[in-house]
Amino acid sequence: MNQEQVLSYIKENNIQKVKFAFADIDGVLRGKVISRKKLIDGMDAGYGFCDVVFGWDSNDVTYDNVELTGWHSGYPDKLCYIDLATFRTIPWQDDIPFFLADFTGPNGATVAADPRSLLKTIIAQCKDMGFHAEFAQEFEWFNFKETPQSLQQKGFANLEPLSPGMFGYSILRTSQHSDFYYNLFNLLTKFNIPVEGIHTETGPGVYEAAIMHDETLAAADKAVLFKTAVKEIAAKHGITATFMAKWNQELPGCSGHVHQSLWTKDLSKNLFYDAADVNKMSELHKQYLAGQLYCLPHLLPMYAPTINSYKRLVEGAWAPTTITWGVENRTTALRVINTNEGYTRLETRIPGSDTNPYLAIAAALASGLYGIKNKLTLDIEPTKGNGYANKANGVLHKNLFDAATAMQNSAIAKELFGEGFVKHFTQTRLWEHRQYAKSVSDWELKRYFEII
């Protein structure tokens, strides 16, 4: 909707309140409900929002190592702006109107820490190069018969999954919880997040859903909204959904794979497809893929942003550990899918379900465009067979500290995303590492408490 259409809708439907939100550096939606008058007054002028949202972590603990904001600045307001094109209503909340926002002002000024604004910058570069990019993210997540209160009371231990056992692609399990299952599909579609498919994955109570592809920003918006929407719909059924990358060491992790392709601006041709090539890959596709391989060690925290992310990136856990690519190979970091021209695409398999979609998609697109701009040669052979065993081109960083330090010192990362973003983002990741380093885990208690 444009401004005139939104104002008409508000008036004709006697809307008195709306909800809006934006994603912070962790991809967590922060927002509020505002009055009709507040909405109208701020459409052009923006809405003041305390910039502590860029100065604290996912648990609302203020960083002590970032410069963008803090006690030293007094945590002032910064202006965010609703994107009217993101209008939708929330069907499980009495159809209250909802908008996404970001911190890009009318004059193009923005905040270095704003993920959505960062992605918009990369999209503009893509368009300037003459391409239309299509993206989609898919998610796996675990569902539990728990509430926020029961999680706290149980200390996040001995949790009851929605269903027992390992039963991937089960028709039985989804039928046993059909109210929740079909509610997800139907309500997400009504919320303008059309789901291509949804099914159980292997693991107790785990689901997987693929979102229909769209132009880049819309795809990222849908991915961000998907996670919160699933949690809210689940809560209506007395269920808690978790998008942790790896909640249990004995079970598979949860992926957040990113699918992408480049098209002509009129969407008449998939620029990744070449019927004459042995792998049906155009030269542009190869350059794009080469760019991702080359940039991967410099950008890993944008794909794997938490301490927990790296518990998923281990051998034999359906997640990559090496800098590899292959055709229809699910053991490599990058998977080429080439069934036909319409569906030819690249799947970036590093991201887990804990990613901030704006940052994961920005990393994928920017690094792919880097390969095209620099005409990189795809001189790494496709991996056939076990990608875990192919370490010829290197391996992924094994923890957040190493990955964040590499990105912090990377000239490539700063070239792609600007020094301001790289500095702030890596400072927040190193903060995350420090919080983990000083914690005492259950593993340590069980191993040392009595015996040592």
Side-chain angles (χ1 to χ4, degrees):
M1 285 192 177
N2 58 33
Q3 188 170 125
E4 182 180 345
Q5 291 170 322
V6 169
L7 290 173
S8 176
Y9 179 89
I10 295 294
K11 182 178 179 180
E12 290 174 6
N13 293 276
N14 194 28
I15 301 298
Q16 299 301 315
K17 62 183 181 297
V18 303
K19 180 181 281 192
F20 80 93
F22 53 86
D24 67 12
I25 202 73
D26 288 291
V28 176
L29 286 178
R30 308 281 185 171
K32 60 177 72 172
V33 171
I34 58 175
S35 68
R36 168 177 175 162
K37 183 178 186 304
K38 181 80 170 177
L39 170 71
I40 295 171
D41 290 348
M43 280 185 176
D44 295 318
Y47 308 88
F49 219 103
C50 177
D51 75 356
V52 73
V53 293
F54 300 118
W56 63 18
D57 63 17
S58 58
N59 278 243
D60 291 5
V61 179
T62 53
Y63 299 122
D64 63 8
N65 63 334
V66 302
E67 299 174 15
L68 184 66
T69 188
W71 302 115
H72 60 279
S73 67
Y75 294 112
D77 274 359
K78 282 188 169 60
L79 290 175
C80 67
Y81 299 85
I82 284 175
D83 185 342
L84 298 177
T86 65
F87 170 83
R88 65 234 307 138
T89 60
I90 307 177
W92 58 92
Q93 292 182 14
D94 299 323
D95 286 317
I96 183 173
F98 177 85
F99 301 89
L100 279 167
D102 59 46
F103 288 78
T104 301
N107 61 355
T110 187
V111 176
D114 178 26
R116 192 172 191 265
S117 294
L118 180 75
L119 179 57
K120 287 163 73 173
T121 299
I122 306 303
I123 293 170
Q125 295 171 10
C126 182
K127 290 179 178 178
D128 287 344
M129 294 173 68
F131 307 128
H132 171 96
E134 288 280 307
F135 272 82
Q137 193 163 7
E138 58 178 313
F139 291 103
E140 298 169 349
W141 75 95
F142 279 81
N143 300 288
F144 294 91
K145 293 181 180 179
E146 303 288 351
T147 66
Q149 291 75 21
S150 70
L151 290 173
Q152 294 291 335
Q153 290 165 1
K154 292 183 174 183
F156 296 89
N158 301 314
L159 305 180
E160 183 180 359
L162 180 63
S163 55
M166 313 291 277
F167 206 164
Y169 302 101
S170 170
I171 298 299
L172 174 63
R173 288 289 185 246
T174 52
S175 296
Q176 290 168 341
H177 300 282
S178 59
D179 287 350
F180 174 49
Y181 185 63
Y182 293 121
N183 227 204
L184 282 173
F185 192 98
N186 295 334
L187 291 178
L188 286 166
T189 299
K190 288 182 180 179
F191 193 47
N192 192 25
I193 307 177
V195 174
E196 190 174 79
I198 183 170
H199 59 87
T200 65
E201 254 294 355
T202 183
V206 60
Y207 283 3
E208 178 178 0
I211 305 170
M212 289 285 288
H213 65 85
D214 205 334
E215 66 86 16
T216 311
L217 187 61
D221 287 342
K222 289 173 182 177
V224 167
L225 291 173
F226 176 89
K227 294 206 288 184
T228 295
V230 166
K231 291 177 183 180
E232 292 185 0
I233 295 168
K236 296 285 187 182
H237 293 265
I239 295 166
T240 292
T242 179
F243 288 82
M244 279 185 70
K246 183 92 165 179
W247 85 270
N248 185 303
Q249 68 183 36
E250 304 299 331
L251 296 170
C254 292
S255 69
H257 301 153
V258 173
H259 296 252
Q260 66 236 253
S261 55
L262 294 183
W263 295 69
T264 54
K265 286 190 173 182
D266 63 1
L267 292 176
S268 63
K269 181 175 175 55
N270 184 347
L271 297 174
F272 275 7
Y273 182 78
D274 182 356
D277 182 76
V278 64
N279 291 319
K280 304 294 188 290
M281 296 172 65
S282 68
E283 187 59 30
L284 191 84
H285 192 176
K286 294 174 184 177
Q287 291 173 351
Y288 186 98
L289 195 156
Q292 282 206 11
L293 288 170
Y294 181 78
C295 295
L296 181 51
H298 301 268
L299 311 177
L300 186 56
M302 297 176 75
Y303 296 129
T306 72
I307 292 293
N308 186 248
S309 302
Y310 298 83
K311 306 293 176 70
R312 169 181 164 268
L313 299 174
V314 295
E315 292 190 9
W318 297 98
T321 60
T322 56
I323 302 174
T324 48
W325 74 280
V327 178
E328 283 293 1
N329 191 332
R330 285 182 168 87
T331 68
T332 56
L334 302 175
R335 170 186 170 223
V336 171
I337 303 167
N338 61 358
T339 47
N340 58 54
E341 181 175 357
Y343 284 92
T344 292
R345 63 195 185 274
L346 180 65
E347 179 188 36
T348 306
R349 293 181 57 81
I350 303 98
S353 59
D354 59 345
T355 49
N356 179 336
Y358 293 122
L359 299 187
I361 290 174
L365 182 57
S367 56
L369 294 177
Y370 179 89
I372 295 172
K373 290 174 187 175
N374 293 280
K375 294 183 169 54
L376 296 186
T377 302
L378 184 58
D379 51 11
I380 299 172
E381 291 296 317
T383 298
K384 296 180 180 179
N386 188 355
Y388 298 117
N390 183 2
K391 298 178 172 63
N393 198 49
V395 298
L396 302 180
H397 297 294
K398 296 187 182 300
N399 58 67
L400 182 59
F401 176 80
D402 290 345
T405 301
M407 183 174 179
Q408 187 177 55
N409 296 326
S410 169
I412 296 291
K414 293 167 187 172
E415 177 184 345
L416 295 180
F417 303 114
E419 189 166 353
F421 168 77
V422 172
K423 185 174 185 179
H424 181 82
F425 178 62
T426 56
Q427 285 172 336
T428 68
R429 298 310 93 189
L430 291 172
W431 159 274
E432 198 77 7
H433 163 75
R434 286 195 288 121
Q435 303 317 294
Y436 172 71
K438 67 184 183 183
S439 69
V440 178
S441 68
D442 288 345
W443 183 90
E444 291 169 283
L445 289 172
K446 293 172 182 177
R447 193 170 186 88
Y448 303 128
F449 190 92
E450 180 187 6
I451 305 300
I452 295 297

